[in-house]
Amino acid sequence: MFLSKLILRRGPTFPRPATFAHLHRIQRTSPYSHQKILYSFYSTKTAPAEVEPERADYQVPYTSDSFPHIKRNPAFKKVTSQDIQYFKSILAPEGVLVNDGVRADEYDLLSYNQDWFRSFRGKSQVVLKPRTTEQVSKLVSYCNAERLAIVPQGGNTGAVVINSPGNIGGGVAIFDEIVVSTSNLNQIREFDSVTGVVTCDAGCILENVDNYVAERGYIVPLDLGSKGSCQIGGNVSTNAGGIRLLKYGSLHGSVLGLEVVLPDGRIVDGLSKLRKDNTGYDLKQLFIGSEGTLGIVTGVSLQTPKRPKAMNVAMVGVESYEKVQNAFHRAKEDLSEILSAFEFWDSGSMHYGKALGSKNFKAPFEKDYPFYVLVETSGSNEEHDTEKLGCYLEGLFENGHIEDGVIAQDHTQYTNLWSIRESLGEACGAPVPIYKYDISLPVPVLYDLVEELRARLVEHGMMGPQGPVSDVVGFGHIGDGNLHLTVFAKELDSKVKSLIEPFIYEWTSKYHGSIAAEHGIGLKNSKFIKYSKSPTQVNLMEQIKKTMDPNGIMNPYKVFATHDY
């Protein structure tokens, strides 16, 4: 399915259309083939490394070997046969998975011990899969009393706690911590068709919840590439962002209530459906984004807005990052209440998305542009929204902010355009040598970091035909100042990493940005938290952790810089 052109290329052979409606009529009656209207994109760049078929015997190194400075806390007890017997007294037989060499072995536990990006690998010997909040409470209470460390886990589609798409090692064990999986907590408990509040178990798959409310005319205010396997409790625990944040805000606003099992086993029954409640501290905010270090989320009350009746998406080619900003500024003015997403990426990201992603997309432009922008609108009146989007794009073209563009004319084209954007994230998870970072910065300086890091690596002879680095690329959510910066390499090199870190964190700190925009801290970023939070803030967070989890059993070694024991 080809995309209908809305904006013609600049140049003497292409007249500028008087209106977008006129352009539509030209194309619908054009005698030329689709191939002459839409050109495929074929990059001449070289992929960062030859991707070999995954070997069946390949093993990700143990995290404890990759991070030798982290030592197992000797205060934690090792699991005994008596502990296993207790777990079996609480859960059904299939709810206790033990590496005993009989009913299960190391391979059976591999999916729980290894993160989605195959970057971290733990040594857990026990996986517990409760079906009720009461079972979670009994298990956690017992583990706390016995000093058995716990790692909460759900879909394990990312690397913070459960679902975040950045490999920072927060969702898997490091040593022999017990994995408590919420995957069996998967029931939707209640839905209020008047207010749009859905109450569900933490283990519900995000896409399933969205499909459920969609049948009732609502939409989950969160959309992620891993929505088919990530879980709502993990989304909450990592404060997952996603592409709808521009329109609907973060989960700090969408989550109305939580049910949480504390590290001592007590249940916080806070499944409120109220939009207003100022009776004391808003405790749920402590758990949103806490990465499973303060408790296990078992239930969620979520405010879902009405599902838009009209969805439009357009993609445009842009010559500079300054013009990307101009397009965003105009979008806020011209599209305002119907603007739901504003994504950008550079030409390098486009290349690697094509080379390493699974979407097999065709770029809708004849030539390669330095930058691309994807704009999505969502509203209640299709005619009104389409006209608004058309006028916005025409204004950008007339003012020289964009060079070329397309707008989707049906659902297939809509999906095709979004597949280009989604492929960029896929490329960051490809089995090739990469360094990737999740940064939040003021929009005016967002892309400067990419250019300065690229220049730094070139200056030190690390990037180029003879260097270990192939390219430095950037893409992300302009609407909320979130940059996904990726360094593609031919091989991992300690000198390259020393040039990237802590430079990238120091640069971010200089502009008062965040070193973890939406992927969290986990294990990997714990030593860099000081670049985003002051000593007072870090100390206060550590005090909260010690107060709520004095034995430190809940997802240990994560978020805060780990001490040697």
Side-chain angles (χ1 to χ4, degrees):
M1 177 67 70
F2 292 99
L3 304 172
S4 298
K5 275 291 188 195
L6 282 194
I7 306 172
L8 295 178
R9 301 176 183 85
R10 292 184 181 279
T13 59
F14 293 97
R16 298 176 85 170
T19 65
F20 283 95
H22 175 62
L23 181 56
H24 276 303
R25 289 196 295 272
I26 290 175
Q27 291 193 319
R28 277 195 282 267
T29 58
S30 171
Y32 297 104
S33 68
H34 281 134
Q35 284 75 14
K36 291 187 178 181
I37 295 176
L38 178 69
Y39 293 81
S40 299
F41 170 75
Y42 296 98
S43 174
T44 58
K45 286 188 177 182
T46 303
E50 187 70 23
V51 181
E52 298 181 359
E54 187 175 304
R55 291 172 49 191
D57 61 346
Y58 173 73
Q59 292 289 342
V60 174
Y62 285 118
T63 304
S64 58
D65 294 336
S66 302
F67 294 79
H69 68 284
I70 300 178
K71 307 299 181 184
R72 184 185 186 278
N73 187 342
F76 293 150
K77 170 187 165 184
K78 290 183 178 292
V79 178
T80 67
S81 59
Q82 288 78 14
D83 299 325
I84 300 300
Q85 288 304 312
Y86 177 79
F87 299 148
K88 290 182 176 179
S89 73
I90 301 298
L91 305 178
E94 63 273 15
V96 181
L97 194 60
V98 182
N99 180 10
D100 56 8
V102 180
R103 295 189 60 181
D105 56 21
E106 185 176 4
Y107 179 80
D108 296 312
L109 272 68
L110 188 59
S111 63
Y112 300 95
N113 268 320
Q114 190 168 278
D115 74 299
W116 189 59
F117 282 97
R118 296 170 64 82
S119 299
F120 297 88
R121 181 180 168 208
K123 298 180 180 179
S124 179
Q125 303 297 300
V126 181
V127 176
L128 304 178
K129 304 173 71 174
R131 290 187 175 276
T132 67
T133 299
E134 290 70 26
Q135 288 179 342
V136 175
S137 174
K138 291 178 181 179
L139 295 171
V140 172
S141 177
Y142 178 87
C143 289
N144 185 59
E146 295 294 322
R147 305 298 192 271
L148 293 166
I150 292 171
V151 174
Q153 189 182 96
N156 199 22
T157 56
V160 179
V161 174
I162 294 173
N163 72 302
S164 186
N167 59 334
I168 59 177
V172 293
I174 297 178
F175 300 105
D176 55 350
E177 300 89 69
I178 295 171
V179 173
V180 178
S181 170
T182 58
S183 58
N184 284 338
L185 296 165
N186 53 20
Q187 300 300 307
I188 293 178
R189 304 184 189 182
E190 186 181 0
F191 179 75
D192 188 326
S193 60
V194 176
T195 64
V197 177
V198 61
T199 303
C200 62
D201 289 347
C204 287
I205 302 297
L206 175 61
E207 187 171 41
N208 292 346
V209 178
D210 189 51
N211 290 338
Y212 177 88
V213 300
E215 295 174 356
R216 293 153 178 81
Y218 290 82
I219 186 172
V220 171
L222 175 67
D223 193 10
L224 302 169
S226 58
K227 62 187 176 183
S229 51
C230 69
Q231 298 178 6
I232 196 70
N235 302 148
V236 170
S237 295
T238 59
N239 189 28
I243 60 175
R244 291 177 182 161
L245 191 140
L246 175 62
K247 185 175 181 68
Y248 299 118
S250 76
L251 290 174
H252 279 292
S254 299
V255 172
L256 300 183
L258 293 176
E259 179 184 78
V260 184
V261 175
L262 298 177
D264 62 4
R266 288 180 296 164
I267 300 173
V268 178
D269 184 5
L271 286 176
S272 172
K273 304 173 188 174
L274 302 176
R275 295 289 299 274
K276 291 184 175 182
D277 182 4
N278 284 338
T279 52
Y281 301 137
D282 191 0
L283 295 177
K284 68 177 180 290
Q285 302 298 345
L286 276 176
F287 303 101
I288 300 173
S290 65
E291 304 183 26
T293 60
L294 301 180
I296 301 178
V297 175
T298 56
V300 180
S301 289
L302 188 67
Q303 178 70 63
T304 64
K306 288 294 290 185
R307 202 168 195 88
K309 296 178 181 178
M311 300 284 287
N312 291 295
V313 65
M315 178 177 163
V316 298
V318 186
E319 289 291 348
S320 68
Y321 181 67
E322 181 182 1
K323 292 184 177 181
V324 171
Q325 296 179 75
N326 292 336
F328 179 53
H329 179 73
R330 286 293 301 270
K332 290 191 295 181
E333 288 189 347
D334 297 350
L335 302 177
S336 57
E337 79 285 354
I338 64 171
L339 180 63
S340 54
F342 194 99
E343 304 288 299
F344 96 103
W345 58 93
D346 56 20
S347 60
S349 297
M350 179 80 120
H351 162 68
Y352 291 114
K354 178 72 172 178
L356 301 174
S358 66
K359 304 299 183 183
N360 194 29
F361 64 81
K362 291 183 178 180
F365 306 124
E366 178 182 19
K367 60 172 286 189
D368 188 16
Y369 290 98
F371 294 93
Y372 300 90
V373 167
L374 185 146
V375 183
E376 182 191 74
T377 65
S378 57
S380 59
N381 188 311
E382 183 174 0
E383 183 177 354
H384 166 269
D385 295 356
T386 301
E387 182 179 0
K388 254 193 160 183
L389 180 59
C391 290
Y392 161 72
L393 294 173
E394 183 177 2
L396 293 181
F397 186 83
E398 294 292 336
N399 290 315
H401 296 319
I402 62 176
E403 301 298 315
D404 204 356
V406 294
I407 188 168
Q409 297 298 296
D410 55 37
H411 180 72
T412 299
Q413 295 176 5
Y414 175 95
T415 302
N416 287 345
L417 283 183
W418 268 115
S419 71
I420 298 175
R421 169 60 181 84
E422 292 169 356
S423 72
L424 312 182
E426 282 190 354
C428 292
V432 297
I434 58 174
Y435 306 87
K436 54 187 175 181
Y437 301 89
D438 168 47
I439 304 295
S440 184
L441 286 164
V443 172
V445 300
L446 190 72
Y447 197 74
D448 290 352
L449 177 55
V450 179
E451 294 176 330
E452 290 199 22
L453 180 58
R454 188 182 292 144
R456 177 179 173 85
L457 294 175
V458 170
E459 178 185 353
H460 288 82
M462 293 292 104
M463 181 173 159
Q466 305 304 318
V469 173
S470 301
D471 205 353
V472 181
V473 305
F475 68 93
H477 322 293
I478 286 290
D480 45 66
N482 185 187
L483 171 69
H484 298 294
L485 185 153
T486 305
V487 179
F488 286 95
K490 306 177 185 76
E491 59 183 0
L492 298 180
D493 185 285
S494 59
K495 186 175 181 181
V496 170
K497 187 172 183 179
S498 69
L499 289 170
I500 299 174
E501 301 175 9
F503 169 80
I504 195 171
Y505 300 119
E506 293 170 344
W507 200 97
T508 301
S509 180
K510 179 174 67 174
Y511 290 97
H512 306 288
S514 170
I515 66 163
E518 62 181 1
H519 292 178
I521 298 297
L523 170 65
K524 181 189 172 203
N525 287 336
S526 60
K527 66 180 179 179
F528 300 119
I529 192 173
K530 64 183 180 181
Y531 290 102
S532 289
K533 301 299 180 184
S534 68
T536 301
Q537 290 174 303
V538 174
N539 181 256
L540 183 57
M541 287 189 283
E542 289 178 331
Q543 288 182 39
I544 293 172
K545 168 68 173 176
K546 291 175 181 177
T547 299
M548 299 182 65
D549 184 16
N551 293 327
I553 67 162
M554 196 65 67
N555 208 15
Y557 320 109
K558 315 295 172 53
V559 179
F560 306 108
T562 303
H563 304 286
D564 292 337
Y565 294 100

